Amino acid sequence: MEENIYLDEARDPLIIAEGWMKDGKDVAIATVVETWGSAPRPVGSHLVIDAEGNFHGSVSGGCVEGAVVTEAMDVIGSGKARMLEFGVADETAWQVGLSCGGRIKVYVERLG
């Protein structure tokens, strides 16, 4: 049996972000824009975050989501986008759990 690799509407972070915005929530989106080495999620992976810290999707398979959510909440407040980088060469990567040997770059921007 072939596995469905596509997201349905209930799990697609972009559709969820649109719904949150229609509900009046302030929303940011984090997107994996570059990877090096062993990266847990491919380029184009999304995580959507609201101002209360609720999130859906994944940019790292759980490794750095907490740090990205915190940064995204700041982006929602300031309106200023940020480029984040996590990797084993960075001391903070070990603190947030990206120990898979790779590096990722994540762009975080406010929607709306």
Side-chain angles (χ1 to χ4, degrees):
M1 187 166 143
E2 187 176 314
E3 184 179 337
N4 181 3
I5 60 169
Y6 300 101
L7 294 175
D8 58 27
E9 288 191 13
R11 294 181 295 165
D12 186 325
L14 299 178
I15 293 173
I16 288 168
E18 184 179 35
W20 286 357
M21 290 173 65
K22 284 180 181 175
D23 291 343
K25 294 182 179 186
D26 292 325
V27 178
I29 187 162
T31 306
V32 176
V33 294
E34 270 185 80
T35 65
W36 299 268
S38 176
R41 300 284 297 139
V43 168
S45 296
H46 296 293
L47 179 71
V48 295
I49 307 98
D50 72 9
E52 296 171 6
N54 298 303
F55 63 93
H56 184 84
S58 178
V59 292
S60 71
C63 299
V64 299
E65 264 71 9
V68 174
V69 167
T70 299
E71 292 286 339
M73 290 172 67
D74 288 344
V75 167
I76 290 169
S78 71
K80 296 178 80 173
R82 292 187 188 163
M83 184 70 73
L84 310 176
E85 190 171 333
F86 300 96
V88 294
D90 180 0
E91 203 174 284
T92 59
W94 289 101
Q95 293 171 6
V96 296
L98 188 64
S99 57
C100 55
R103 290 189 301 150
I104 60 171
K105 237 182 212 186
V106 179
Y107 184 69
V108 183
E109 62 187 319
R110 183 179 170 142
L111 297 178

